[in-house]
Amino acid sequence: MPVKKPSKRTQQLIAKGKQYYLPVYKPRAAILDHGKGARIWDIDGNDYIDFGAGIAVNGFGHQDPDLVKALIAQAKKLWHTSNVFYTEPPILLAEALVKASKFAKYAFFCNSGAEANEAAIKLARKYAADKGRPPEKREIITFHGSFHGRTLTTVTATAQPKYQAGFEPLPQGFVYAPFNDEVAVEKLVSDKTCAIMVEAIQGEGGITPAKPSFLKHLRALCDKVGALLIFDEIQCGMGRTGKFFGYQHEAGIVPDIVTMAKGLAGGFPIGAMLVGDKAAETFQFGSHGTTFGGNPMATAVAGVVVRKLQSKTLMRNVETRAKEIREALAGINREFGIFTEIRGRGLMIGAELTPSLHGKAGDIIEVVRLHGLLVLQAGPNVLRIMPPLNVTQKEVKEGIKRLREGLKAFLQY
């Protein structure tokens, strides 16, 4: 059933948001209020199936009892202290992540994915400097279609001009390569290369997975010139693809650095960088830091998330629900003929629109919202579907039903 029209209270709050928010977002005309599992309700009582999970953040949906319990328990003990002192939750989280990663020696905690990538970039440059490389030989290769953050350095690492326009002059030392093109990357790798940074599945770039052997080829190129291999797992990590990290779908790859955020604490802000043996000793006292990184509340919740991600039952649910969604999307496509490709891994799914609908993803997700489903876009031509990892079969069926109704309504306009 289509959602009700916004109430007077909703309209008033939206008007205040427009009045007082810096206008860098275009929120939809609803005031979300509370959630349970993969459902969210707005203040007008409309319910939505959440197929966006806060952009791959709410990996366990809304109000997961284990996460709520951990947050409340820590909130009653200690909210924050300086990193001059130890607290228990970040120590236990660091241990859990190092063990779960099977490659890392150390963990560093921050507050967001952009900060984690900033740390990785700094570490890669410092590693090169410690090896005696001058500044002109500390280049980092990233890929067209990538997304690594909104800070000035990470937006420069993001090889998409639309995110960089107007913010020049940009930091130096980044080189861009076509994604999934081994030959093109190989031509760019040289003794100037200090690192390659890559997403195993590009998120903002359209939910585009690395093709078989591509990541392994990057590992070999890094080894050839003494560069570090950095995996940005901010969106595709934390169980989103059915494995702890997205790069693990290709066997035999050992990273030097992995960054993560989004789903790490199920919705509580946190970022992290894991560092393997090669560069483990690069950062020393004073090399880097953060005021809020390792916050006891964030790390307490993240510790529970990491434990829950070890569940084979959960990973089977990711695979099963993903299959159901992909099959349902294929059925919708047979009916409406609106997708040219359905791609991704696990519960990180992109449905690319036909050329006749290019540029319409934003319009489509609004009409779909009005039919009770929250979905996202990955660029102007791709619908992005990323429900919670523990989404149920019932929630998937209802979400697909609402998606079909929304798409039908859109096509009838």
Side-chain angles (χ1 to χ4, degrees), residues 6-41:
S7 65
K8 184 177 180 180
R9 176 62 174 160
T10 292
Q11 293 178 48
Q12 290 173 337
L13 284 170
I14 289 173
K16 285 188 177 183
K18 291 180 178 179
Q19 180 179 359
Y20 296 113
Y21 276 1
L22 190 70
V24 294
Y25 304 114
K26 289 185 178 180
R28 306 295 166 175
I31 306 294
L32 302 182
D33 183 67
H34 64 280
K36 185 74 173 176
R39 287 182 183 263
I40 296 181
W41 286 263

Side-chain angles (χ1 to χ4, degrees), residues 14-321:
I14 289 173
K16 285 188 177 183
K18 291 180 178 179
Q19 180 179 359
Y20 296 113
Y21 276 1
L22 190 70
V24 294
Y25 304 114
K26 289 185 178 180
R28 306 295 166 175
I31 306 294
L32 302 182
D33 183 67
H34 64 280
K36 185 74 173 176
R39 287 182 183 263
I40 296 181
W41 286 263
D42 65 23
I43 63 172
D44 295 334
N46 296 304
D47 79 281
Y48 306 87
I49 301 294
D50 187 3
F51 271 17
I55 316 182
V57 168
N58 302 104
F60 292 91
H62 305 277
Q63 294 207 44
D64 178 87
D66 295 329
L67 304 191
V68 171
K69 181 180 178 181
L71 182 62
I72 291 174
Q74 186 59 45
K76 291 181 178 180
K77 294 171 65 177
L78 185 68
W79 285 23
H80 175 74
T81 186
S82 164
N83 283 310
V84 170
F85 305 99
Y86 283 118
T87 57
E88 184 178 26
I91 293 173
L92 298 182
L93 176 60
E95 178 187 32
L97 284 172
V98 166
K99 289 183 176 180
S101 76
K102 297 182 173 61
F103 88 92
K105 183 174 181 179
Y106 295 138
F108 171 79
F109 297 122
C110 49
N111 312 287
S112 67
E115 288 179 64
N117 282 338
E118 285 268 355
I121 290 165
K122 285 182 66 176
L123 190 147
R125 295 261 171 86
K126 183 67 164 55
Y127 176 81
D130 289 350
K131 295 294 183 182
R133 293 194 184 192
E136 64 271 17
K137 290 191 175 183
R138 301 176 198 169
E139 288 183 348
I140 296 176
I141 295 175
T142 63
F143 295 91
H144 296 302
S146 63
F147 185 86
H148 299 297
R150 297 275 193 171
T151 66
L152 197 56
T153 299
T154 57
V155 84
T156 307
T158 296
Q160 296 197 60
K162 66 180 180 181
Y163 293 115
Q164 301 171 350
F167 300 115
E168 301 86 356
L170 301 174
Q172 298 179 349
F174 291 94
V175 178
Y176 308 135
F179 190 56
N180 280 331
D181 188 334
E182 293 100 328
V183 175
V185 181
E186 192 161 356
K187 290 179 179 178
L188 291 173
V189 172
S190 70
D191 63 352
K192 293 182 178 181
T193 307
C194 76
I196 296 177
M197 177 181 278
V198 65
E199 300 159 276
I201 303 177
Q202 290 190 337
E204 307 305 313
I207 315 299
T208 306
K211 69 180 185 180
S213 80
F214 182 67
L215 301 180
K216 190 172 291 186
H217 186 69
L218 297 184
R219 175 72 275 175
L221 289 175
C222 285
D223 291 342
K224 183 178 178 180
V225 298
L228 301 180
L229 179 59
I230 304 168
F231 282 109
D232 178 341
E233 291 277 338
I234 290 160
Q235 189 165 161
C236 64
M238 307 314 299
R240 177 56 48 187
T241 66
K243 292 185 181 294
F244 199 90
F245 293 124
Y247 77 84
Q248 292 173 332
H249 287 275
E250 191 164 329
I253 299 175
V254 179
D256 296 306
I257 302 170
V258 168
T259 59
M260 66 197 79
K262 289 191 182 292
L264 178 53
F268 207 95
I270 189 172
M273 175 181 68
L274 298 180
V275 187
D277 286 333
K278 187 183 296 184
E281 308 304 326
T282 299
F283 275 177
Q284 293 295 321
F285 178 73
S287 297
H288 195 54
T290 167
T291 297
F292 291 103
N295 172 272
M297 294 178 70
T299 51
V301 178
V304 177
V305 168
V306 172
R307 174 176 58 79
K308 289 166 76 75
L309 287 174
Q310 311 298 313
S311 166
K312 293 181 179 179
T313 300
L314 178 69
M315 293 301 102
R316 283 196 295 270
N317 188 71
V318 171
E319 294 174 0
T320 302
R321 302 288 86 84

